[in-house]
Amino acid sequence: MGTDPAPGARGAAAWAMGSFQLEDFVAGWIGGAASVIVGHPLDTVKARLQAGNGYGSTLSCIRTVYRRESVFGFFKGMSFPLVSITVYNSVVFGVFSNTQRFLSHHRCQEPEAGPRHVLSDLLLASMVAGVVSVGLGAPVDLIKIRLQMQTQPFQEASLGVKPRVAALGEQPAYQGPVHCIATIVRTEGLAGLYRGASAMLLRDVPGYCLYFIPYVFLSDWITPDAHAGPSPCAVWLAGGMAGAISWGTATPMDVVKSRLQADGVYVNKYKGVLDCISQSYQKEGLKVFFRGITVNAVRGFPMSAAMFLGYELSLQAIRGDHVVTSP
């Protein structure tokens, strides 16, 4: 007669057989598409403020971009993230949801009998999602930043470095996402696609903790006890607030990441994260690390609200539920 498997083995087997859900990845893809369409114009403004020159404020940046490049300037570089960030968000949401579910099964053989959300499970699942996000997201973010920044006026005198490309003028460095990838690989190698990845890791691991955890607890708090799950309005509000919190607090490291990734379009200025922090502080003071915090927080609300609403409503449609189900 065979022996009964250990409780941990039973939990892992049960999770592998029934709890790993591909629906989370599909819903994350749909939510990611919604977030890109809603958030890209302000993302362009954020990138220009953090890594560009000649913009005094958020409104000044918006006016300048519109005057020089028309409304299409705000959507510069959107085709690549629309394709890639949807996949990126699919993986992030899928990894988070399935990791949380695995931890719940591992901790409690009958998760329904225990508390619905445990802070330690949410924290660890968020950290795992943050680490995975860098592996996929660093090249995506790099290409997006390069395409957004390539029309920036080049100021050799203020940078104090030699230009990488002769006769820059207004000629774009890249003709599109594919040309941008090919140019980076040719000039910097495959490692060049992960420029700024260390800063992104320092941004995303705590950033996703302050993204998923506030969303889960805010949506639970907003939802009346009599309801089985949050309403679309509760999802929109909790998702937007979580996005504003996460992006607002991530701004200092987001500035460093943007500068490292924009570095190399025409010049190589920084040697790494610490050098970027040091140079930025010496030349512009502490306030530079909060550049774009307003647009980050403002952009974070509708972008994350669209992300979570798209995710939750997609899960509802896929599973045939009548209520929204939290991740």
Side-chain angles (χ1 to χ4, degrees):
M1 180 182 288
T3 58
D4 187 41
R10 286 201 304 270
W15 176 80
M17 292 176 63
S19 295
F20 180 81
Q21 297 179 4
L22 289 175
E23 295 99 321
D24 293 301
F25 292 89
V26 176
W29 184 88
I30 295 171
S35 72
V36 171
I37 294 170
V38 170
H40 193 80
L42 283 176
D43 186 65
T44 298
V45 175
K46 178 204 70 137
R48 299 287 181 93
L49 283 171
Q50 291 180 341
N53 294 301
Y55 303 118
S57 65
T58 300
L59 289 178
S60 172
C61 180
I62 292 172
R63 285 196 298 266
T64 302
V65 172
Y66 180 76
R67 187 173 65 251
R68 290 176 178 170
E69 306 167 53
S70 78
V71 70
F72 298 106
F74 296 103
F75 293 92
K76 188 177 291 293
M78 193 181 82
S79 60
F80 183 68
L82 187 59
V83 174
S84 54
I85 290 180
T86 51
V87 176
Y88 165 82
N89 276 303
S90 168
V91 173
V92 167
F93 272 71
V95 167
F96 170 79
S97 298
N98 284 285
T99 301
Q100 183 196 2
R101 202 172 293 117
F102 169 76
L103 292 171
S104 178
H105 275 280
H106 183 74
R107 175 178 45 80
C108 181
Q109 298 310 306
E110 296 182 3
E112 293 81 4
R116 186 180 177 193
H117 298 299
V118 177
L119 181 59
S120 59
D121 291 354
L122 293 171
L123 186 65
L124 187 54
S126 299
M127 292 173 70
V128 171
V131 172
V132 171
S133 75
V134 175
L136 288 173
V140 173
D141 241 20
L142 177 71
I143 304 306
K144 175 174 66 69
I145 291 285
R146 292 289 180 90
L147 291 173
Q148 286 173 327
M149 294 301 300
Q150 66 175 341
T151 56
Q152 241 326 93
F154 180 72
Q155 298 182 6
E156 180 182 354
S158 66
L159 293 174
V161 289
K162 295 180 179 179
R164 287 185 58 189
V165 184
L168 295 172
E170 295 297 325
Q171 181 67 33
Y174 311 113
Q175 274 74 60
V178 175
H179 180 253
C180 182
I181 294 170
T183 301
I184 292 170
V185 171
R186 185 176 66 251
T187 58
E188 305 175 48
L190 286 173
L193 292 174
Y194 284 88
R195 181 189 290 267
S198 54
M200 191 173 181
L201 188 67
L202 293 172
R203 183 198 71 173
D204 281 6
V205 171
Y208 275 116
C209 291
L210 292 171
Y211 187 64
F212 286 116
I213 294 174
Y215 169 73
V216 169
F217 286 113
L218 281 169
S219 61
D220 281 354
W221 179 66
I222 295 170
T223 304
D225 293 337
H227 289 67
S231 66
C233 183
V235 170
W236 178 84
L237 183 59
M241 291 177 68
I245 292 169
S246 177
W247 276 108
T249 54
T251 297
M253 196 51 62
D254 190 47
V255 170
V256 176
K257 180 204 70 74
S258 294
R259 291 189 166 210
L260 284 170
Q261 291 183 326
D263 191 39
V265 178
Y266 297 127
V267 297
N268 280 316
K269 186 179 178 184
Y270 306 117
K271 298 177 182 178
V273 174
L274 293 178
D275 183 52
C276 180
I277 293 172
S278 176
Q279 286 196 46
S280 298
Y281 177 74
Q282 288 174 7
K283 292 182 178 178
E284 301 173 69
L286 189 63
K287 65 180 181 180
V288 69
F289 299 109
F290 297 93
R291 181 177 292 178
I293 188 170
T294 301
V295 71
N296 249 351
V298 170
R299 157 185 168 269
F301 191 101
M303 188 175 174
S304 297
M307 175 73 232
F308 278 107
L309 193 59
Y311 172 81
E312 298 283 18
L313 292 179
S314 299
L315 277 184
Q316 179 183 353
I318 292 168
R319 294 173 179 172
D321 297 335
H322 297 290
V323 294
V324 177
T325 305
S326 294

